[in-house]
Amino acid sequence: LDPPLVAAVFHGKRFAAWPEALEAAGLNPAEIVHGQRWTPERIEQRMRALEREGVPLTQTSLAQHDPKLLAAIYRHVGSLVKARQAMNGGHGIPKLCAERRRRLQAEMAAIGKFIAEVRGAK
């Protein structure tokens, strides 16, 4: 099912439950196949897979790449920040997204090279 359609159904609070909305659309809720249930472990696995693919773990990016994951994060973990902290072993500093980490590593390497050049010029 289309995530924007799902959001539209509940946005106006016209339906109290998903089966009610499906019936109003002329669909049989019992015939709708549900995907796998999200668990905190499955959420973390999917986030790590996206990170390996170079997808930034931001709300905007997740909404575009995997809106079901983003919804599961808010439902099961509470916030994206908490989910990133959990990925980082529960530490207070969320893990940097892959793109930002690469950029910072490149900047640090350039600074290190500059310092080495300055030291060599003395």
Short mmCIF file of all heavy atoms in Angstrom, two decimals, residues 7-34:
data_model
loop_
_atom_site.label_atom_id
_atom_site.label_comp_id
_atom_site.label_asym_id
_atom_site.label_seq_id
_atom_site.Cartn_x
_atom_site.Cartn_y
_atom_site.Cartn_z
N ALA A 7 -1.20 7.66 5.25
CA ALA A 7 -1.16 8.89 6.04
C ALA A 7 -2.43 9.71 5.84
O ALA A 7 -2.98 10.26 6.78
CB ALA A 7 0.07 9.70 5.70
N ALA A 8 -2.89 9.77 4.59
CA ALA A 8 -4.09 10.55 4.28
C ALA A 8 -5.32 9.98 4.98
O ALA A 8 -6.19 10.71 5.44
CB ALA A 8 -4.32 10.59 2.77
N VAL A 9 -5.39 8.67 5.07
CA VAL A 9 -6.53 8.02 5.71
C VAL A 9 -6.63 8.44 7.17
O VAL A 9 -7.71 8.75 7.67
CB VAL A 9 -6.41 6.48 5.61
CG1 VAL A 9 -7.38 5.79 6.55
CG2 VAL A 9 -6.63 6.03 4.18
N PHE A 10 -5.51 8.46 7.87
CA PHE A 10 -5.54 8.74 9.30
C PHE A 10 -5.42 10.23 9.63
O PHE A 10 -5.75 10.64 10.72
CB PHE A 10 -4.44 7.96 10.02
CG PHE A 10 -4.75 6.50 10.08
CD1 PHE A 10 -4.12 5.61 9.24
CD2 PHE A 10 -5.71 6.02 10.95
CE1 PHE A 10 -4.42 4.26 9.28
CE2 PHE A 10 -6.03 4.68 11.00
CZ PHE A 10 -5.38 3.79 10.16
N HIS A 11 -4.93 11.04 8.67
CA HIS A 11 -4.71 12.45 8.94
C HIS A 11 -6.00 13.16 9.35
O HIS A 11 -6.04 13.91 10.30
CB HIS A 11 -4.09 13.15 7.73
CG HIS A 11 -3.82 14.59 7.97
ND1 HIS A 11 -2.86 15.02 8.86
CD2 HIS A 11 -4.40 15.70 7.49
CE1 HIS A 11 -2.85 16.34 8.88
NE2 HIS A 11 -3.78 16.78 8.06
N GLY A 12 -7.06 12.90 8.63
CA GLY A 12 -8.33 13.55 8.93
C GLY A 12 -9.12 12.87 10.03
O GLY A 12 -10.21 13.30 10.36
N LYS A 13 -8.59 11.78 10.59
CA LYS A 13 -9.25 11.03 11.66
C LYS A 13 -10.65 10.57 11.23
O LYS A 13 -11.57 10.52 12.02
CB LYS A 13 -9.34 11.86 12.94
CG LYS A 13 -8.01 12.30 13.49
CD LYS A 13 -7.28 11.16 14.10
CE LYS A 13 -5.99 11.67 14.74
NZ LYS A 13 -5.11 10.66 15.12
N ARG A 14 -10.78 10.24 9.93
CA ARG A 14 -12.08 9.77 9.45
C ARG A 14 -12.34 8.32 9.85
O ARG A 14 -13.47 7.89 9.90
CB ARG A 14 -12.13 9.92 7.93
CG ARG A 14 -12.15 11.37 7.50
CD ARG A 14 -12.47 11.48 6.02
NE ARG A 14 -12.68 12.86 5.66
CZ ARG A 14 -11.76 13.64 5.11
NH1 ARG A 14 -10.57 13.16 4.85
NH2 ARG A 14 -12.02 14.88 4.83
N PHE A 15 -11.25 7.58 10.10
CA PHE A 15 -11.38 6.18 10.45
C PHE A 15 -10.64 5.92 11.74
O PHE A 15 -9.53 6.39 11.93
CB PHE A 15 -10.82 5.28 9.34
CG PHE A 15 -11.50 5.51 8.02
CD1 PHE A 15 -10.91 6.29 7.04
CD2 PHE A 15 -12.74 4.95 7.75
CE1 PHE A 15 -11.53 6.52 5.83
CE2 PHE A 15 -13.37 5.17 6.54
CZ PHE A 15 -12.78 5.95 5.58
N ALA A 16 -11.24 5.15 12.60
CA ALA A 16 -10.62 4.85 13.89
C ALA A 16 -9.55 3.78 13.77
O ALA A 16 -8.63 3.73 14.56
CB ALA A 16 -11.68 4.41 14.89
N ALA A 17 -9.68 2.91 12.76
CA ALA A 17 -8.74 1.81 12.63
C ALA A 17 -8.52 1.49 11.16
O ALA A 17 -9.35 1.79 10.29
CB ALA A 17 -9.27 0.57 13.35
N TRP A 18 -7.40 0.88 10.88
CA TRP A 18 -7.02 0.53 9.52
C TRP A 18 -8.05 -0.38 8.85
O TRP A 18 -8.44 -0.13 7.70
CB TRP A 18 -5.63 -0.10 9.53
CG TRP A 18 -5.12 -0.45 8.17
CD1 TRP A 18 -4.80 -1.68 7.72
CD2 TRP A 18 -4.87 0.44 7.09
NE1 TRP A 18 -4.37 -1.63 6.43
CE2 TRP A 18 -4.41 -0.32 6.01
CE3 TRP A 18 -5.01 1.81 6.92
CZ2 TRP A 18 -4.07 0.22 4.78
CZ3 TRP A 18 -4.67 2.36 5.69
CH2 TRP A 18 -4.21 1.58 4.64
N PRO A 19 -8.55 -1.44 9.50
CA PRO A 19 -9.55 -2.29 8.85
C PRO A 19 -10.80 -1.52 8.41
O PRO A 19 -11.38 -1.79 7.37
CB PRO A 19 -9.89 -3.34 9.92
CG PRO A 19 -8.67 -3.40 10.77
CD PRO A 19 -8.14 -2.00 10.79
N GLU A 20 -11.18 -0.54 9.22
CA GLU A 20 -12.33 0.30 8.88
C GLU A 20 -12.09 1.06 7.58
O GLU A 20 -12.97 1.15 6.72
CB GLU A 20 -12.54 1.29 10.03
CG GLU A 20 -13.97 1.66 10.32
CD GLU A 20 -14.02 2.61 11.50
OE1 GLU A 20 -13.81 2.15 12.65
OE2 GLU A 20 -14.25 3.81 11.27
N ALA A 21 -10.88 1.59 7.44
CA ALA A 21 -10.53 2.34 6.22
C ALA A 21 -10.50 1.41 5.01
O ALA A 21 -10.95 1.78 3.92
CB ALA A 21 -9.18 3.01 6.40
N LEU A 22 -9.96 0.20 5.18
CA LEU A 22 -9.92 -0.76 4.07
C LEU A 22 -11.32 -1.14 3.62
O LEU A 22 -11.61 -1.20 2.42
CB LEU A 22 -9.14 -2.01 4.49
CG LEU A 22 -7.64 -1.82 4.70
CD1 LEU A 22 -7.03 -3.11 5.25
CD2 LEU A 22 -6.95 -1.41 3.42
N GLU A 23 -12.21 -1.38 4.58
CA GLU A 23 -13.59 -1.73 4.24
C GLU A 23 -14.28 -0.60 3.50
O GLU A 23 -15.01 -0.83 2.53
CB GLU A 23 -14.37 -2.10 5.51
CG GLU A 23 -13.96 -3.44 6.08
CD GLU A 23 -14.55 -3.72 7.45
OE1 GLU A 23 -15.32 -2.87 7.97
OE2 GLU A 23 -14.24 -4.79 8.00
N ALA A 24 -14.04 0.64 3.92
CA ALA A 24 -14.64 1.79 3.25
C ALA A 24 -14.13 1.92 1.81
O ALA A 24 -14.83 2.43 0.95
CB ALA A 24 -14.33 3.07 4.03
N ALA A 25 -12.91 1.41 1.58
CA ALA A 25 -12.34 1.45 0.23
C ALA A 25 -12.78 0.24 -0.60
O ALA A 25 -12.36 0.08 -1.74
CB ALA A 25 -10.82 1.48 0.32
N GLY A 26 -13.63 -0.62 0.00
CA GLY A 26 -14.12 -1.78 -0.73
C GLY A 26 -13.18 -2.97 -0.69
O GLY A 26 -13.28 -3.88 -1.52
N LEU A 27 -12.25 -2.97 0.25
CA LEU A 27 -11.29 -4.06 0.37
C LEU A 27 -11.61 -4.91 1.58
O LEU A 27 -12.18 -4.42 2.56
CB LEU A 27 -9.86 -3.51 0.50
CG LEU A 27 -9.37 -2.63 -0.65
CD1 LEU A 27 -8.05 -1.97 -0.28
CD2 LEU A 27 -9.23 -3.44 -1.92
N ASN A 28 -11.23 -6.17 1.52
CA ASN A 28 -11.44 -7.08 2.64
C ASN A 28 -10.16 -7.09 3.48
O ASN A 28 -9.12 -7.56 3.02
CB ASN A 28 -11.75 -8.49 2.13
CG ASN A 28 -12.01 -9.46 3.25
OD1 ASN A 28 -11.83 -9.15 4.42
ND2 ASN A 28 -12.44 -10.66 2.90
N PRO A 29 -10.21 -6.59 4.71
CA PRO A 29 -9.01 -6.54 5.55
C PRO A 29 -8.35 -7.91 5.73
O PRO A 29 -7.13 -7.99 5.83
CB PRO A 29 -9.51 -6.00 6.89
CG PRO A 29 -10.78 -5.29 6.57
CD PRO A 29 -11.36 -6.01 5.39
N ALA A 30 -9.12 -8.96 5.75
CA ALA A 30 -8.56 -10.31 5.94
C ALA A 30 -7.73 -10.75 4.74
O ALA A 30 -6.86 -11.61 4.86
CB ALA A 30 -9.68 -11.31 6.19
N GLU A 31 -7.97 -10.14 3.58
CA GLU A 31 -7.24 -10.52 2.37
C GLU A 31 -5.96 -9.71 2.18
O GLU A 31 -5.16 -10.01 1.30
CB GLU A 31 -8.13 -10.35 1.13
CG GLU A 31 -9.29 -11.32 1.10
CD GLU A 31 -10.21 -11.07 -0.07
OE1 GLU A 31 -9.95 -10.13 -0.86
OE2 GLU A 31 -11.21 -11.79 -0.19
N ILE A 32 -5.80 -8.67 2.96
CA ILE A 32 -4.60 -7.83 2.84
C ILE A 32 -3.46 -8.54 3.54
O ILE A 32 -3.53 -8.87 4.72
CB ILE A 32 -4.82 -6.43 3.47
CG1 ILE A 32 -6.00 -5.73 2.82
CG2 ILE A 32 -3.55 -5.60 3.37
CD1 ILE A 32 -5.82 -5.41 1.35
N VAL A 33 -2.38 -8.77 2.80
CA VAL A 33 -1.22 -9.47 3.36
C VAL A 33 -0.37 -8.47 4.12
O VAL A 33 0.01 -7.44 3.61
CB VAL A 33 -0.38 -10.13 2.24
CG1 VAL A 33 0.84 -10.80 2.82
CG2 VAL A 33 -1.23 -11.11 1.46
N HIS A 34 -0.10 -8.79 5.37
CA HIS A 34 0.75 -7.93 6.19
C HIS A 34 2.19 -8.33 6.02
O HIS A 34 2.52 -9.50 5.89
CB HIS A 34 0.37 -8.04 7.68
CG HIS A 34 -1.00 -7.49 7.96
ND1 HIS A 34 -1.26 -6.15 7.99
CD2 HIS A 34 -2.18 -8.11 8.19
CE1 HIS A 34 -2.55 -5.96 8.25
NE2 HIS A 34 -3.13 -7.14 8.36
#
